[in-house]
């Protein structure tokens, strides 16, 4: 059997002032045909899992299209139209298919299509008809829409955050599709949409309250007619009608049971909604707490979360560490102009430099400091282990490492790069165990890598376009009523 593979992934933060362009995809990932296998089959991504499972089953994988951009702003109209044009042109070239595996992100927003994933999945369904099964994966941070559900036979979300199970979920999707085509299964999907935004600070799946929620979901899987269920945590930084948590149940040809189990899982989230509200620790309190702990301590900069679309040049924590003259501290900041200045000074040279705070006025002002250039690098590194995002090859562009007289080490990058790998540090001459404080611009995703050296993680309530204090953001399009903004109402699925 010939099974197509299509992937389009971008997490779109509508609170970012700059748009995502076609160049962002071209820089990160935009491939068709056999290039899809070449770029993704050897990774920890869900598409790699799809290739593995189809090869193992002896079926023909037909790679069609794969595109990904680092989380950022809303996708420009011309960019999304070009991406979809390429996608569907390649679909036409692929010829007759027996089934299709898809990998949407689930929280992609563009200028003409607030629900990008619902739009392209719906168009895919219209083109191939109802007889061709479409089964896929979702990022756990998807904002699931009824349109996504209507266009597909089954969707399977990652079960971990940090996302370490992407490849496994791709295998699940491919095996389900193969069994469907062989007549062993008839996947039947239902979803529930509790009016709840799970705070990003509470989305680590190995910690409470997510830990108990996933245990409840796992208990449901004891029902032999339930093929798969998913808790979709949601992405709160997309101001669209679909924003929020949701749940999915996929049964073997039992729609009523699928809806019943989805409703039960949705009711669990709703009943425990207060536990999913965030806990906010100020910068000063976080630094006081870190000072009394054995290092390295990782401070998670939630307001400048690169994996959530932020600019990566926030200086709030860097300013505080510099002001307090905290020794043996480290922060990574995206600032191509500062990289160029360090390059001009050369390794071992000194410079007076303004670091970060250049994108907007929400993430801190530039840090003015005198620094020594410790090292200059090309910024490429490789992560061999499964890490959040599933990719193995990284390129953060020309990179400089500088150090102030008071012991603040700053890695300057030319490209925004989420802190998903310790190789980002070690490949550039930084030994993380030598530091008391490591700042990572994320919330949960960096934990998978940094836990190898850090005993303690402190989530810091910094301001910015990914602030954890989401009640401070100005939403225009979200559902109403919705927790935590509105609290005095009840919900029944």
């Amino acid at each position: 059997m010939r099974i197509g593979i299509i992937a389009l992934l971008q997490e779109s933060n509508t609170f970012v002032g700059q748009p995502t362009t076609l160049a962002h995809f071209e820089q990160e990932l935009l491939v068709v045909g056999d290039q899809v296998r070449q770029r993704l089959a050897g990774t920890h991504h869900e598409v790699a899992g799809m290739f593995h499972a189809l090869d193992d089953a002896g079926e023909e994988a037909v790679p069609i299209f794969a595109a990904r951009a680092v989380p950022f702003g809303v996708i420009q109209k011309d960019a999304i139209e070009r991406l979809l044009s390429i996608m569907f042109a390649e679909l036409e070239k692929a010829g007759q298919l027996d089934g299709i595996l898809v990998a949407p992100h689930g929280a992609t927003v563009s200028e003409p299509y607030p629900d990008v994933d619902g739009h392209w999945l719906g168009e895919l369904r219209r083109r191939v008809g109802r007889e061709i099964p479409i089964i896929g994966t979702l990022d756990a941070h998807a904002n699931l829409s009824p349109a996504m559900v209507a266009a597909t036979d089954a969707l399977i979300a990652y079960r971990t955050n940090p996302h370490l199970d992407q490849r496994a979920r791709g295998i699940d999707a491919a095996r389900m599709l193969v069994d469907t085509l062989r007549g062993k299964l008839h996947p039947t999907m239902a979803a529930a949409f509790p009016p709840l935004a799970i705070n990003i600070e509470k989305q680590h799946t190995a910690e409470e309250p997510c830990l108990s929620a996933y245990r409840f979901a796992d208990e449901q899987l004891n029902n032999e007619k339930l093929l798969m269920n998913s808790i979709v945590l949601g992405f709160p930084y997309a101001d669209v009608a679909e924003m929020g948590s949701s749940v999915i149940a996929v049964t073997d040809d039992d729609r009523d049971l699928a809806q019943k189990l989805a409703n039960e899982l949705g009711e669990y989230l709703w009943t425990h909604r207060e536990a999913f509200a965030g806990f906010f620790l100020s910068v000063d309190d976080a630094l006081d707490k870190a000072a009394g702990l054995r290092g390295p301590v990782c401070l998670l900069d939630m307001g400048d979360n690169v994996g959530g679309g932020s600019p990566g040049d926030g200086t709030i924590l860097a300013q505080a560490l510099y002001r307090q003259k905290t020794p043996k501290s480290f922060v990574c900041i995206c600032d191509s102009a500062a990289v160029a200045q360090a390059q001009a000074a050369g390794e071992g040279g000194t410079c007076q430099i303004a670091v970060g705070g250049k994108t907007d006025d929400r993430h801190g002002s530039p840090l003015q400091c005198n620094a020594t250039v410790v090292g200059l690098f090309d910024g490429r590194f490789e992560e061999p282990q499964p890490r959040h995002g599933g990719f193995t090859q990284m390129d953060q562009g020309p990179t400089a490492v500088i150090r102030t007289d008071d012991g603040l080490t700053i890695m300057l990058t030319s490209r925004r790069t989420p802190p998903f790998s310790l190789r980002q540090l070690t490949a550039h001459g930084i030994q993380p165990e030598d530091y008391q404080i490591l700042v990572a611009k994320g919330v949960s995703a960096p934990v998978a890598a940094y836990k190898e050296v850090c005993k303690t993680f402190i989530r810091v309530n910094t301001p910015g376009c990914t602030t954890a204090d989401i009640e401070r953001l100005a939403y225009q399009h979200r559902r109403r009523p919705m927790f935590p903004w509105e609290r005095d109402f009840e919900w029944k699925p």
Side-chain angles (χ1 to χ4, degrees):
M1 291 177 289
R2 303 184 76 245
I3 298 172
I5 298 177
I6 300 175
L8 175 57
L9 304 106
Q10 201 246 358
E11 198 170 65
S12 309
N13 186 323
T14 63
F15 298 101
V16 172
Q18 298 79 31
T20 295
T21 66
L22 187 65
H24 287 103
F25 287 91
E26 291 171 336
Q27 178 177 293
E28 187 71 14
L29 180 73
L30 178 51
V31 290
V32 299
D34 290 339
Q35 295 173 319
V36 177
R37 183 185 286 272
Q38 292 168 15
R39 287 291 300 275
L40 293 177
T43 69
H44 309 294
H45 196 268
E46 57 262 47
V47 171
M50 293 172 181
F51 279 122
H52 173 81
L54 293 181
D55 291 346
D56 191 54
E59 306 296 356
E60 181 184 356
V62 184
I64 295 171
F65 172 90
R68 175 187 182 266
V70 173
F72 199 46
V74 172
I75 301 175
Q76 285 182 330
K77 181 179 187 298
D78 290 349
I80 193 63
E81 297 292 6
R82 180 60 180 150
L83 290 169
L84 297 183
S85 174
I86 296 171
M87 176 194 293
F88 290 118
E90 293 298 319
L91 177 67
E92 288 296 318
K93 290 181 187 177
Q96 183 62 41
L97 300 170
D98 297 290
I100 301 177
L101 287 166
V102 294
H105 181 283
T108 307
V109 182
S110 72
E111 289 171 349
Y113 312 117
D115 177 15
V116 168
D117 301 292
H119 172 78
W120 76 262
L121 289 170
E123 178 62 17
L124 177 64
R125 173 58 76 194
R126 187 188 70 77
R127 288 174 181 248
V128 304
R130 280 284 159 191
E131 299 305 311
I132 302 295
I134 301 173
I135 293 176
T137 54
L138 280 176
D139 193 288
H141 293 104
N143 291 322
L144 184 69
S145 70
M148 295 180 211
V149 176
T152 54
D153 294 89
L155 292 168
I156 302 169
Y158 315 155
R159 297 180 90 83
T160 61
N161 184 39
H163 306 327
L164 302 180
D165 65 330
Q166 291 173 250
R167 194 171 189 275
R169 300 292 78 79
I171 290 172
D172 288 342
R175 287 176 175 170
M176 186 182 292
L177 182 57
V178 169
D179 285 345
T180 300
L181 292 170
R182 292 176 178 176
K184 296 180 180 180
L185 299 175
H186 186 264
T188 306
M189 177 168 52
F193 302 88
L196 160 68
I198 296 176
N199 193 282
I200 201 79
E201 193 267 335
K202 295 295 185 184
Q203 289 193 10
H204 193 300
T205 54
E207 300 173 358
E208 295 294 356
C210 279
L211 184 61
S212 292
Y214 279 89
R215 282 175 179 163
F216 183 89
D218 289 344
E219 288 171 5
Q220 283 192 328
L221 291 173
N222 291 326
N223 188 320
E224 62 183 17
K225 291 210 71 175
L226 180 64
L227 302 176
M228 184 63 67
N229 61 6
S230 298
I231 296 173
V232 187
L233 299 169
F235 181 62
Y237 305 110
D239 183 14
V240 293
E242 297 78 18
M243 188 273 288
S245 63
S246 57
V247 296
I248 299 169
V250 183
T251 62
D252 185 8
D253 200 22
D254 192 332
R255 189 166 301 280
D256 289 342
L257 178 62
Q259 193 64 66
K260 176 178 178 292
L261 293 173
N263 291 348
E264 287 178 359
L265 191 49
E267 284 189 289
Y268 177 94
L269 297 183
W270 178 249
T271 299
H272 295 84
R273 59 191 179 278
E274 291 289 349
F276 290 105
F279 173 76
F280 308 128
L281 191 67
S282 71
V283 171
D284 288 343
D285 288 344
L287 291 179
D288 288 345
K289 183 177 180 180
L293 297 171
R294 180 180 177 184
V297 175
C298 183
L299 299 183
L300 293 160
D301 186 353
M302 297 195 292
D304 193 23
N305 171 12
V306 181
S310 75
D313 73 340
T315 61
I316 301 294
L317 282 171
Q319 294 272 18
L321 292 168
Y322 184 71
R323 188 170 55 249
Q324 294 188 12
K325 299 183 178 181
T326 305
K328 296 184 178 180
S329 53
F330 167 86
V331 64
C332 179
I333 291 176
C334 179
D335 187 338
S336 58
V339 171
Q341 193 172 348
Q343 289 174 327
E347 287 192 14
T350 59
C351 54
Q352 187 172 10
I353 192 167
V355 173
K358 295 167 184 171
T359 300
D360 54 41
D361 59 0
R362 293 184 292 172
H363 302 85
S365 58
L367 171 61
Q368 306 282 347
C369 62
N370 293 312
T372 300
V373 180
V374 177
L376 298 170
F377 308 88
D378 65 11
R380 296 188 182 93
F381 60 98
E382 181 177 344
E383 173 53 73
Q385 299 300 318
R387 293 290 183 251
H388 188 100
F391 287 83
T392 55
Q393 303 294 325
M394 319 292 179
D395 183 358
Q396 62 187 19
T399 296
V401 177
I402 64 174
R403 185 168 296 135
T404 71
D405 294 340
D406 295 316
L408 173 62
T409 299
I410 305 173
M411 176 187 287
L412 300 168
T413 72
S414 300
R415 296 180 181 176
R416 294 183 313 115
T417 304
F420 296 166
S421 169
L422 274 185
R423 286 285 298 155
Q424 184 181 23
L425 279 63
T426 58
H428 299 104
I430 295 168
Q431 300 304 316
E433 60 271 15
D434 292 342
Y435 290 82
Q436 170 63 22
I437 291 178
L438 299 168
V439 174
K441 293 181 178 294
V443 182
S444 294
V447 174
Y450 281 66
K451 69 179 181 181
E452 293 183 4
V453 295
C454 295
K455 302 290 186 185
T456 306
F457 292 85
I458 301 174
R459 295 184 174 92
V460 190
N461 184 31
T462 47
C465 62
T466 58
T467 176
D469 193 357
I470 54 176
E471 293 183 66
R472 293 182 177 273
L473 296 173
Y475 290 85
Q476 303 296 322
H477 306 291
R478 67 170 175 84
R479 287 177 278 169
R480 287 176 168 80
M482 189 177 200
F483 184 90
W485 296 275
E486 292 82 37
R487 294 174 179 257
D488 189 19
F489 72 102
E490 290 299 321
W491 173 78
K492 286 290 181 184

